[in-house]
Each structure stands twice: as C-alpha cells, then as structure tokens.
Amino acid sequence: MRFAWLEGECGGASTDVLGLSQSSVGDHELRQQRQRIQHLAEDTNAQLKRNVYMNYMQFIDTAKEISYLESEMYQLSHLITEQKSLLTSVLELSITGERGPGCAAQEMIEVNPQELKKMQNRENRKKLTGLLEKIEGCSGLQILMNNCETLKRSELFGVCTRAGVIKDSYHLPAFTCTAFPQHVMEVEDRCLVFDGDLVELNQDDYTALQRIHAYLLNDSLMIASWLSDRRGPVRYKFEVLYPLDQVLPVNIKDRGNTKNAFKVLIFPDTRVFMAPTAKSKQDWLDEIERTKANKVTVDKQNVERAQQQHQKERQLSLSKEDSLDSNSNNPFGEDDDSLNPFMEAQPPSLGPPEWVLELPEELDQAIAQRNFEDAVALVDSGREYFDMSPKTPAYSEMRRALESRVKSLVEVLQAELRVTPDKSLQGGPRAARRATTLLVHLNKSSEACELFLGHRGAILKAGLKRLRLEGKTVLYVRQLCSIFFHNLLETAREFTKAFPNNPSCTSAFVVWGHGEVNNFASMFSRHVFTTQSSLNTVAECVRRADHHCQQLADIGLDLTFALHTLLLRDVEKWIRDGRDKLVEAVKLRGQEDTWKILKYENKEQLNKFIEDMNEIGIASIEKYIMDELCVGLTNNTVQFSRAFLSYLEDMLRLFWPETERLINASLTAIFSAQMRHCQTSLTEPLFKNEVPAIRRNSAFLLDVILTLGEHRYAEAVGHAHPNLPSLHAQYPALTGETAAASTTAPTISKYESNFI
C-alpha cells in the first residue's frame, strides 16, 4: 500500500509538471510558472508562521494547564496513599482488646525500648532506602551498599556483573570502596520527615524553571530534579543536599499568577518554590521549622551526653590512678602531680560554652548584616577555641559548621570585589580595601590580590572609557596621563597597605602594572602618532607621559623602561622623519639661496625680528644689524636657525638612553648639511661677489647657533654633545679667520646660567 501511494503521488506530480510544460510556450513562460510557484510557497510559509504566532499564547496556556494537571495527579496519588494507610490502621484496631492480624502497634508495646529503637531505626532506614531507589545516583548501588556487608565475595561479584557495573573480579575491591554514593546514607540516624513535589521559580520574575521533588530529612534538605525521560522506577535525579541549619524558610504573599510560593534562604543563595496547594505550602513551612527545632534539641542533647561521658571517663581514670597510688608501696616511685601544691588543679570539662554553640547563628547574622569585621573576629575566636578543644566527634562537627560559614563569608567578600555589569564602579581604592584586608586576614591572599587588581583594572578602564577626544591632542594626552597614572599611583599606595608582606602578591602587581602600561601605550600611540600630529606635539606628549612615569618611580614602581620599550619604535620613526625633512629643507633652500641680506621697510618690522630672535634664545642679534633697517643675515640662515633650535628642543624632550645615539647623529647630520651648503657657496663662481655675506652667515652659525645648541644640550642632558664641538674646526675655512678670533666675543643666551 505504501509503495502504491508513493507511486500515485509521484505520478500526480509528474502529470502536473508535464501539463505545465505542454501549456507553456518557450522558456520565458516556464520561468514565469516557476516564479509563481515560488511565490505561492513563500505565501504559504508566511501564512503558517502567522497562524503559529496567533496561536502562540494558546500553546503556552495549554502547557500550563498540562503542568497543573500533572501536579494535581501527583496530589491525588498522595491522597490515595494516605487513604490506604488510614484503612490499614482501621483494620488493625480491635474492639475486644485482642491483637488483630496486623496490629503492629500492640506488638511493639511488648518489645523492650532498645529493641523498639532498633526497629524504628531499621524502618526509617528502609523507608529512606526505598525513596532513594527513585532517585538517579542513589538507587541500585545504594541498596547494594546497604547489603554488601552480608554478601559473600562470590555473591557480590555475581550481583555486580549481572548489573553491568563491573566485568571481572579484579575490579571488585575498588568498586566496593568507591562506587557507592555514600553522601545521603552516610549518617546512621538519618530518616525522612516530609517530602513532596514542588515547582522551582525564578527569584526575579517568578517564572517556572523546573519541577523538583524535595525530601525533608531530620538533619538536611535534599532536592531532586524531575526526569522527563525516566525509565523504570527512577523518577528523579539527585541535585543537592543542604544542611538543615543553613535552611531558612520565608513565606511569599500571593501575587498575580504566583500562588502558594515560599522562599528558602540557603546562604548565600536563595531558591523559590511553589507548592501545589496552600495547605501543602503551610505544611512545608511548619515541618521545616519543627524539624529545625528538633535538630537543635537533639544536638544539645548529644553535646551534653558527650560531656557526661567524657566526665565519667575522666573520673574513672582518676579513680584508677588513685587506687594504683594507694596500693603502691615503692617509696622511690615517680612523682605524683596531684600531690604537687604548685600545680594548678584542672577543672572538670564542662563542654563548650554557650557562645560556641551560638557561633554559627551569630556568623550568619553578621554576614547578613554585612558586619564583616565582626564576622572575622568571631571566626578567629572560634578557630582559637577549637584548636585548644579535644578532638571529639561533637567538636569536629561544630568545627565543620564553622568552616562552612567561613567559606560563605569568603564568597561574600569575593563578591564585593568581583566586577559585574550591574555593579557601580564609582568607589575609589579605599572601597576595596575593606574586603581585601579581611580576605588577607582569612588566609586568602592570592584570591584577594587577583580580585583587587581586577577591580582596580575595571575602574581604570571605565575612567578611560569616559574620556573623549576633544580639542588638541596635547590636551587629550594630558587628561589621559592624569587619569591613568593617578589611578596607578593610588592603586600602588593601597596595594602596599593591603599586602605589606606578600612577595608573591607584589610580583602579581608588577605583572598587572605592565599589562596596564601596554593598554595605555596602545591608546597613546593610536592618538599621538598620527599623520595629523607634528613633531612638537609628539615630543610634548611623550615628555608628559615620561614625567608621570617618573612619579611612579619615586614610590618604587618604575615602569619607565616598559613604556620606553613600547613607544621606542614610533619615537625613533618620528626622529628620523624630522631629521630627513630638515635635511631636505636645507637642500631646497640652498637651491634658491641668493645670499642677499635681510632688509625691512620700517623700524617696527626690525623690532619684531629682534623679538623673534630673542624668543628662540639669540640675545646678541643687535651686532648683526648693519644699519637702521638692514640685518647682515640671509633669510636661509634665519630659517635654518629657527628650525634647528626647534628640532633640538623636541629632541631633548625625546631624549632617552635608547634614543641618545640616534638624536646625536641626527643633530650632527642637520648642521653638517647647512655647513656643506656654505662651503659649496664659497666655491661657486656665481656668488664671488657675496663672499663677505657668506662668511658672515657662516660665522653666525658657528659662533651663535652651534654654541647655543651645545649649551642647551649640555644643560638638559648633563654632558656635552660628542660630535657637535668638532664642527668648530670648519671655522677658519668658512670665515677666513682663526679659531681664536671666534672666541673673543662669546654669545650669551637665555639657556645659560648668567643669561638673566
């Protein structure tokens, strides 16, 4: 039938295609038919999507109704189970006083209390084991674990191989030691108090997350998630087991579609559940409170019982020692410390004081109220007490409870430093000092260091992100350096206060600082080393960044070498580019130079020229004025003087140990190029009438400009230039005078100490 139907469909489709091809004339009509079919398919898809969208809310409502119906079915199942137990108890009643066929209550009366307690424990364990069969991770193997002590090795091997857990007897020892999940059944007197189905809700918008089954035990609360693809008796999957002293139920008022909900505070987390009915919700709240009160009472009784047992054992040991001492007749025996009047009498053990018993609750309260200093003080007191206390099971249990609170406290303190998108970063470094100091006190120095540096890095990143590029590049770099290095300076100071004696943390801080300098250098290069920037702008920006780095070096954090390494390639490129431009400008001006002296139209222009020369450091320009409106210098010489001194100032801002050789060579190359132009002009027949002007300008360059450059270099760097003084050897050839004559009238500039 299937093949016949398929053949019919294919035949019908082929017939339709054949009809379309016969009715169409040419490929143009076939393409039109094809486009029409494609349009029909697209319209059909759009219509289907529209129908699905219109019925989307109906689908959601149907799913909710199915979920509610399933919860009611679970509730009905529980009611049927209760009715069955009620009928069984009614059948066991006897009007005549005789024991019925199933009267277990009257049979238990005749049993002694010890047997009764054993039977109750056995029944509780059996009931809990039966429930664990329905939980994935606690079924099958858990039953085998409970009975493995009574099985022989051969029987255990047969059961395991039939279950498919092991393949041969070689794996049996490791299996019996490690394969059984013992976290639920490890407590002998653990029993089930209450259980039921719940729906877990999102604590923000109260939307349903998953269906769970909760088990309230006498000392803990177990959560198991519902399995959708369950097989066999397993219906749930083990999720988590919370100690009961960490569980706090809180009622939630009904709002909208959220009804019968309650909140369980499990520090530091919170989980919200919804019960199927209001009665079930109230039963959960009452049972948790009652079980917690019973657990507190039982714990106190166990502590008192342990104290009494310890006191009895101590009295028994003392009585034995007294009897041995009284029966001993050896006068040379060992000294008895009990007869020593200088030994302090040890009081009998009275157990832990009341503040130790209330220590977990006090810690929970301090953490909830964010009194972290008080919480750390309580932790120190508790640890000091337990270090001196005897190693008994009761004290060990209390010590474990204390350490669980310490873990919660550490998580809260780490959350204070952890950076999240919804967390404000307006606080300064002192805002993180509190949590950091407390974490260091709790022996969490490495975690505190990592979180502290991450917190400071996020604050720095947020501050740089708010910076906008407005106005000149120098103003932007000034703000950039101020924000970055000020943050780095504050971080270094706070770090030394928070981690005074932690070498490993100090190395981590240095690594963090290098990483932040890498980010700063990337932003700096992206905005400074651009085609729109001038050499003067680049030099000023680099000098400012270098100055801020030196401030960090004053407190012991020297990141200058790291910054120089990151910026060196770009700085050297700009030094070479500036040198090449000046050398090329010397050549171009030399081709157009006619060696004509400067002539001004009026006195004001001459005074303006004298002021400009004084501003660049040439204070003795008046002796080169030939008459009222003429200056014995050429335009080429004046332009070169300005360019060379400006380039020198920029190079002194970029002067590093790494750039010293390149700067020295560049200054020498620029001035040598101008001297070659003067030497070439002296030998040029075209300028034989201008020889006096050439010699005068050459003397000006060597006496004034070169000497001024040497003084400025030595004053800024601290030592003389290695190559510039050798250029004075060209003085006799260029000026026709001896070198001594050039030193008779030294030039004083504003860069020298006696300029003012």
Side-chain angles (χ1 to χ4, degrees):
M1 294 296 292
R2 293 181 180 179
F3 291 105
W5 173 80
L6 183 60
E7 290 176 358
E9 290 292 329
C10 295
S14 61
T15 303
D16 295 339
V17 174
L18 182 61
L20 288 174
S21 61
Q22 290 178 354
S23 61
S24 301
V25 178
D27 59 344
H28 181 68
E29 292 187 3
L30 286 175
R31 290 176 181 175
Q32 290 181 350
Q33 294 292 343
R34 179 185 176 186
Q35 292 180 357
R36 187 174 64 84
I37 294 173
Q38 289 180 351
H39 289 321
L40 289 176
E42 293 175 357
D43 294 340
T44 304
N45 291 334
Q47 187 67 25
L48 288 175
K49 292 179 181 178
R50 194 178 300 110
N51 292 336
V52 170
Y53 178 76
M54 293 174 61
N55 299 325
Y56 179 72
M57 296 304 299
Q58 295 182 3
F59 294 155
I60 296 177
D61 295 338
T62 304
K64 289 182 179 179
E65 293 296 333
I66 293 173
S67 177
Y68 293 152
L69 180 61
E70 189 170 4
S71 63
E72 290 178 359
M73 293 298 295
Y74 279 120
Q75 183 180 358
L76 181 61
S77 175
H78 283 291
L79 291 176
I80 293 174
T81 304
E82 292 177 0
Q83 293 293 334
K84 181 179 179 181
S85 61
L86 180 61
L87 290 175
T88 303
S89 61
V90 170
L91 289 175
E92 291 179 352
L93 291 177
S94 176
I95 301 177
T96 60
E98 298 179 356
R99 289 187 292 180
C103 189
Q106 191 170 359
E107 293 176 358
M108 293 173 62
I109 295 175
E110 300 178 359
V111 183
N112 56 30
Q114 295 181 355
E115 293 293 334
L116 179 62
K117 185 176 180 179
K118 292 182 179 180
M119 292 176 61
Q120 290 177 351
N121 292 336
R122 195 179 301 113
E123 290 295 329
N124 291 334
R125 299 287 290 185
K126 184 177 180 182
K127 186 176 181 181
L128 183 59
T129 304
L131 290 173
L132 294 179
E133 293 182 8
K134 302 178 182 180
I135 303 176
E136 180 180 322
C138 299
S139 62
L141 297 180
Q142 188 66 49
I143 301 174
L144 185 61
M145 183 189 70
N146 296 333
N147 300 323
C148 65
E149 296 179 356
T150 60
L151 292 175
K152 297 180 180 179
R153 181 179 179 87
S154 58
E155 297 175 353
L156 182 60
F157 172 70
V159 173
C160 295
T161 51
R162 286 193 298 272
V165 179
I166 61 175
K167 298 181 179 180
D168 51 27
S169 59
Y170 175 76
H171 298 87
L172 185 59
F175 169 76
T176 56
C177 295
T178 61
F180 303 119
Q182 301 180 6
H183 55 282
V184 179
M185 299 293 292
E186 64 182 358
V187 181
E188 295 182 358
D189 56 350
R190 177 172 289 170
C191 60
L192 180 68
V193 177
F194 191 72
D195 70 311
D197 289 315
L198 299 172
V199 177
E200 185 173 6
L201 305 179
N202 190 335
Q203 59 179 342
D204 296 329
D205 53 2
Y206 294 108
T207 56
L209 296 178
Q210 62 175 345
R211 294 176 52 189
I212 65 167
H213 195 88
Y215 296 90
L216 178 61
L217 309 179
N218 60 337
D219 62 345
S220 56
L221 177 65
M222 184 173 66
I223 305 297
S225 58
W226 184 72
L227 290 176
S228 58
D229 53 347
R230 58 182 181 270
R231 297 179 181 178
V234 178
R235 301 173 60 183
Y236 309 102
K237 181 180 180 180
F238 176 80
E239 185 174 330
V240 68
L241 182 70
Y242 297 112
L244 196 59
D245 52 0
Q246 298 182 7
V247 176
L248 180 63
V250 178
N251 185 26
I252 298 178
K253 295 182 179 180
D254 296 343
R255 59 177 71 178
N257 296 329
T258 305
K259 297 181 179 180
N260 307 326
F262 62 96
K263 185 185 299 184
V264 177
L265 302 180
I266 308 165
F267 188 84
D269 299 329
T270 302
R271 302 185 71 169
V272 181
F273 303 106
M274 183 175 67
T277 60
K279 182 179 181 301
S280 177
K281 166 188 171 180
Q282 191 62 36
D283 290 343
W284 272 106
L285 297 175
D286 295 341
E287 290 294 336
I288 293 176
E289 292 292 344
R290 184 179 61 83
T291 307
K292 288 186 64 177
N294 293 339
K295 185 178 182 301
V296 172
T297 304
V298 172
D299 291 342
K300 289 184 178 180
Q301 292 177 356
N302 292 335
V303 172
E304 292 175 358
R305 192 179 299 110
Q307 294 173 0
Q308 294 176 359
Q309 183 67 22
H310 180 70
Q311 189 172 3
K312 289 180 180 180
E313 293 177 355
R314 180 176 177 81
Q315 291 177 356
L316 182 60
S317 62
L318 291 176
S319 62
K320 289 182 178 180
E321 291 178 0
D322 293 340
S323 62
L324 291 174
D325 292 341
S326 61
N327 295 330
S328 176
N329 296 323
N330 186 6
F332 302 97
E334 296 180 354
D335 295 337
D336 188 3
D337 293 339
S338 62
L339 300 178
N340 189 352
F342 297 99
M343 293 292 294
E344 295 182 0
Q346 298 292 335
S349 177
L350 300 178
E354 184 178 356
W355 70 270
V356 176
L357 298 177
E358 297 177 355
L359 185 60
E361 297 181 0
E362 294 291 337
L363 274 175
D364 291 340
Q365 182 178 359
I367 296 173
Q369 296 177 356
R370 302 179 64 82
N371 295 329
F372 300 135
E373 291 81 1
D374 297 342
V376 172
L378 289 173
V379 169
D380 293 339
S381 302
R383 284 178 171 176
E384 182 179 358
Y385 176 81
F386 288 124
D387 289 339
M388 301 173 61
S389 63
K391 308 301 181 184
T392 59
Y395 283 101
S396 300
E397 183 66 26
M398 288 187 287
R399 181 64 180 263
R400 284 194 294 270
L402 173 64
E403 294 301 328
S404 65
R405 265 64 174 193
V406 172
K407 183 178 180 182
S408 302
L409 175 61
V410 170
E411 292 177 355
V412 174
L413 292 175
Q414 290 177 349
E416 290 290 314
L417 296 174
R418 194 171 290 112
V419 178
T420 56
D422 56 344
K423 193 172 183 180
S424 176
L425 295 175
Q426 298 297 328
R430 294 178 181 85
R433 184 196 302 174
R434 179 190 182 193
T436 304
T437 305
L438 295 177
L439 284 173
V440 172
H441 188 80
L442 294 173
N443 298 326
K444 299 293 181 180
S445 299
S446 58
E447 293 85 349
C449 177
E450 181 180 358
L451 291 172
F452 175 80
L453 295 178
H455 184 265
R456 294 301 304 162
I459 293 177
L460 177 58
K461 184 178 180 181
L464 296 178
K465 190 176 181 180
R466 290 192 294 267
L467 187 61
R468 294 291 181 266
L469 180 58
E470 297 177 356
K472 297 181 179 180
T473 305
V474 177
L475 298 178
Y476 172 81
V477 171
R478 182 182 302 171
Q479 297 177 1
L480 176 66
C481 294
S482 177
I483 294 174
F484 177 80
F485 288 101
H486 179 71
N487 185 286
L488 222 62
L489 187 63
E490 282 191 346
T491 303
R493 290 172 178 171
E494 292 297 325
F495 188 88
T496 54
K497 296 177 182 179
F499 305 93
N501 298 316
N502 292 280
S504 59
C505 295
T506 304
S507 61
F509 173 69
V510 174
V511 173
W512 175 82
H514 276 268
E516 295 300 330
V517 169
N518 287 335
N519 298 333
F520 169 79
S522 177
M523 293 184 62
F524 184 90
S525 302
R526 190 165 58 249
H527 292 91
V528 174
F529 299 117
T530 60
T531 56
Q532 294 82 12
S533 299
S534 62
L535 181 60
N536 183 267
T537 301
V538 171
E540 178 62 24
C541 294
V542 172
R543 185 196 65 82
R544 186 168 296 276
D546 206 37
H547 173 70
H548 282 281
C549 253
Q550 188 60 39
Q551 291 181 349
L552 288 179
D554 294 339
I555 65 169
L557 182 63
D558 193 357
L559 298 176
T560 307
F561 177 76
L563 182 64
H564 288 181
T565 304
L566 295 170
L567 301 180
L568 181 61
R569 185 177 62 179
D570 293 321
V571 169
E572 289 182 343
K573 177 180 178 298
W574 277 84
I575 293 174
R576 294 191 187 94
D577 291 345
R579 177 198 62 191
D580 296 340
K581 289 179 180 179
L582 284 182
V583 172
E584 188 65 25
V586 169
K587 294 179 180 179
L588 293 176
R589 286 195 302 264
Q591 294 175 2
E592 301 174 357
D593 193 5
T594 59
W595 293 100
K596 300 296 182 181
I597 62 175
L598 294 174
K599 294 181 180 181
Y600 293 97
E601 298 179 355
N602 50 45
K603 194 69 174 179
E604 295 178 356
Q605 294 181 356
L606 179 62
N607 293 334
K608 183 66 170 60
F609 168 75
I610 295 174
E611 292 178 0
D612 293 341
M613 292 295 102
N614 290 332
E615 287 182 358
I616 64 175
I618 304 174
S620 58
I621 194 66
E622 288 83 0
K623 73 174 186 177
Y624 292 96
I625 299 177
M626 301 179 64
D627 54 21
E628 293 183 356
L629 299 178
C630 294
V631 180
L633 300 176
T634 63
N635 186 42
N636 184 9
T637 301
V638 173
Q639 290 185 9
F640 172 79
S641 300
R642 290 173 176 172
F644 179 78
L645 293 178
S646 177
Y647 182 79
L648 174 64
E649 292 295 328
D650 295 336
M651 292 302 101
L652 294 178
R653 294 172 183 170
L654 299 176
F655 191 89
W656 300 338
E658 298 86 355
T659 60
E660 181 177 2
R661 294 184 59 185
L662 179 60
I663 290 176
N664 293 338
S666 300
L667 293 174
T668 305
I670 294 171
F671 207 90
S672 298
Q674 184 68 17
M675 292 296 98
R676 282 195 300 270
H677 167 63
C678 296
Q679 185 68 36
T680 304
S681 299
L682 285 175
T683 59
E684 181 67 32
L686 184 63
F687 300 127
K688 64 180 181 179
N689 296 328
E690 305 295 338
V691 170
I694 297 174
R695 294 185 182 279
R696 188 186 313 114
N697 283 269
S698 300
F700 172 78
L701 292 175
L702 293 173
D703 285 342
V704 179
I705 303 301
L706 183 58
T707 305
L708 180 60
E710 292 177 26
H711 283 300
R712 183 69 188 103
Y713 183 94
E715 185 179 3
V717 177
H719 58 82
H721 193 283
N723 301 324
L724 287 181
S726 62
L727 296 178
H728 287 285
Q730 302 179 18
Y731 188 86
L734 293 175
T735 62
E737 301 177 3
T738 60
S742 65
T743 60
T744 57
T747 303
I748 300 175
S749 69
K750 70 176 182 180
Y751 296 106
E752 296 179 4
S753 59
N754 59 347
F755 173 72
I756 297 176

